[in-house]
Amino acid sequence: MGGNWLSEEDDNQRLWGIQHKEAAVQEQRDRGGQILTGRSGWVAGRAKVTPYLRELAVKLSVELPFRRAAEVLNYLVPDLSAMTIWRVTQEAGEAARQEGEEKRSAIFEDGEIPEGKEVVEELHFEGDGIVVNLQREKEKRGEVKHIVSYRGKRQISRGRNILQDKQVTSTMEEWRKAWEESYARNGEKIDLEKVGTIYIGGDGAQQVKEGLEYFPRAIYCLDRYHINRHLIEALHHDEEAYKETCAAITEGNWVKIQAAITEASKKTKGNRKKRLIKLLDYLRKNWEGIVNSEEAKRLGAIEGQNSTT
């Protein structure tokens, strides 16, 4: 073959994300690095995991247990262990945590002023928490806090929109730190004091509403996804009451909502009646957010983010 063709060994090294560097053998041994073997029987010695392989490992470990992620990657890189996947994931998570903490503490502990200069008409924040099973940790479960921010939505095809300048903050830290990190990240580019309107969307949880403390002029909105979910759970058996309640929400008429749900509760009992009482209480507590939802257009981006966690 001509000189431009890769040897089988070089091709495997590039394709499967393993870089063989003899000079790194002793360094990797000192670090307790693991021997990784490539395809076709070539041995990488004390190899290092490349950014591409690291990215694959992190993505798989989000969806699968470490052992199963290792089994999948072993089709590409034989002898890659679950412990290596765990180590790579821990390193990536710690790097992201440190970066976020540095940005947050610079503003909220050191008193630095955000340097963002861009002026935008509107800025959207959506927050939600998702409980995940933890692997190789003292606690079996933990809550990942997601805050998605974006400047608006742009239509790319019929019925499909994308978020403009999407910024995602995900952390296992407390909600206060999650909001402070999101504030700091957005403040790097945007002049937050000059934003025309800020919207904060959520499911009614108080932790998401805490974002109002960091953006005093913000408008809280209960997103339609959660409104619809609660309506369907409580009124799936009563189509007429469901339609009446939805129409009253669109009108912003609390009296009609209360009347429709109260009337529906008279026709049922047991758990169905309890769900209706719970629905009415949920709508009452979040009425301001429901009224504001029209002003914030259609929210719901956070649910798409949670589906990838």
Side-chain angles (χ1 to χ4, degrees):
M1 295 293 181
N4 290 333
W5 289 89
L6 293 171
S7 68
E8 181 182 11
E9 178 175 293
D10 289 339
D11 181 53
N12 281 326
Q13 290 178 19
R14 297 189 186 188
L15 180 61
W16 305 113
I18 297 294
Q19 294 177 339
H20 181 207
K21 294 187 177 181
E22 293 294 345
V25 170
Q26 186 59 46
E27 178 184 359
Q28 290 290 334
R29 182 179 292 113
D30 293 341
R31 294 180 181 179
Q34 183 162 353
I35 295 177
L36 305 179
T37 57
R39 293 176 54 129
S40 302
W42 68 272
V43 180
R46 294 285 177 170
K48 81 170 184 177
V49 180
T50 64
Y52 178 68
L53 183 58
R54 184 182 300 274
E55 182 181 354
L56 285 177
V58 171
K59 287 183 176 179
L60 280 175
S61 64
V62 170
E63 302 289 341
L64 303 171
F66 294 126
R67 189 171 300 281
R68 179 56 182 153
E71 290 175 0
V72 172
L73 284 176
N74 263 270
Y75 287 104
L76 308 179
V77 185
D79 299 326
L80 188 64
S81 71
M83 182 57 70
T84 298
I85 301 295
W86 176 82
R87 176 177 57 79
V88 167
T89 303
Q90 291 293 305
E91 290 173 353
E94 180 59 20
R97 189 197 68 78
Q98 288 183 2
E99 179 194 16
E101 177 60 20
E102 288 174 2
K103 295 178 184 295
R104 184 200 70 80
S105 61
I107 294 175
F108 291 94
E109 293 183 15
D110 299 337
E112 295 183 12
I113 304 299
E115 298 180 350
K117 303 297 183 183
E118 295 183 40
V119 178
V120 299
E121 294 184 4
E122 61 182 51
L123 186 60
H124 300 258
F125 291 87
E126 296 185 38
D128 202 359
I130 179 171
V131 177
V132 297
N133 293 322
L134 302 178
Q135 303 181 58
R136 300 177 184 268
E137 299 290 343
K138 293 181 180 180
E139 299 294 332
K140 296 297 183 181
R141 309 187 77 184
E143 183 187 40
V144 179
K145 290 81 173 176
H146 284 314
I147 299 176
V148 177
S149 63
Y150 55 97
R151 304 187 191 186
K153 299 181 181 181
R154 178 170 60 86
Q155 186 174 12
I156 57 175
S157 63
R158 185 175 181 180
R160 291 189 61 196
N161 298 305
I162 61 172
L163 304 182
Q164 295 180 301
D165 298 304
K166 176 182 174 182
Q167 176 86 254
V168 179
T169 297
S170 295
T171 180
M172 297 287 290
E173 300 286 349
E174 58 191 88
W175 272 102
R176 175 183 62 82
K177 290 188 175 182
W179 277 112
E180 290 177 354
E181 181 180 334
S182 184
Y183 183 100
R185 289 183 180 277
N186 280 275
E188 288 181 324
K189 293 183 178 181
I190 301 172
D191 187 337
L192 297 174
E193 297 298 322
K194 296 181 179 180
V195 178
T197 308
I198 295 178
Y199 302 102
I200 294 179
D203 61 356
Q206 184 59 40
Q207 295 93 329
V208 177
K209 294 179 181 179
E210 288 178 9
L212 296 171
E213 298 177 12
Y214 297 94
F215 306 96
R217 296 182 295 105
I219 298 172
Y220 178 76
C221 308
L222 189 71
D223 71 71
R224 291 171 182 251
Y225 171 87
H226 289 96
I227 297 174
N228 288 335
R229 188 182 71 181
H230 281 82
L231 289 172
I232 292 172
E233 287 178 352
L235 292 169
H236 65 89
H237 63 283
D238 193 331
E239 184 177 355
E240 181 180 356
Y242 174 81
K243 290 181 177 179
E244 289 178 359
T245 304
C246 288
I249 288 176
T250 300
E251 295 175 15
N253 192 320
W254 173 252
V255 175
K256 287 185 178 181
I257 291 173
Q258 192 171 23
I261 296 177
T262 300
E263 186 62 28
S265 66
K266 293 178 180 179
K267 298 183 291 184
T268 188
K269 57 183 179 180
N271 288 332
R272 286 184 174 179
K273 191 179 187 71
K274 291 179 180 178
R275 283 195 290 268
L276 287 170
I277 294 173
K278 185 177 179 181
L279 171 64
L280 189 60
D281 184 58
Y282 176 80
L283 296 177
R284 180 186 294 109
K285 290 179 179 178
N286 291 284
W287 183 240
E288 182 179 359
I290 293 171
V291 172
N292 291 337
S293 291
E294 282 299 315
E295 198 171 359
K297 306 173 184 177
R298 287 184 67 91
L299 296 178
I302 194 66
E303 297 306 318
Q305 185 65 34
N306 282 346
S307 68
T308 66
T309 301

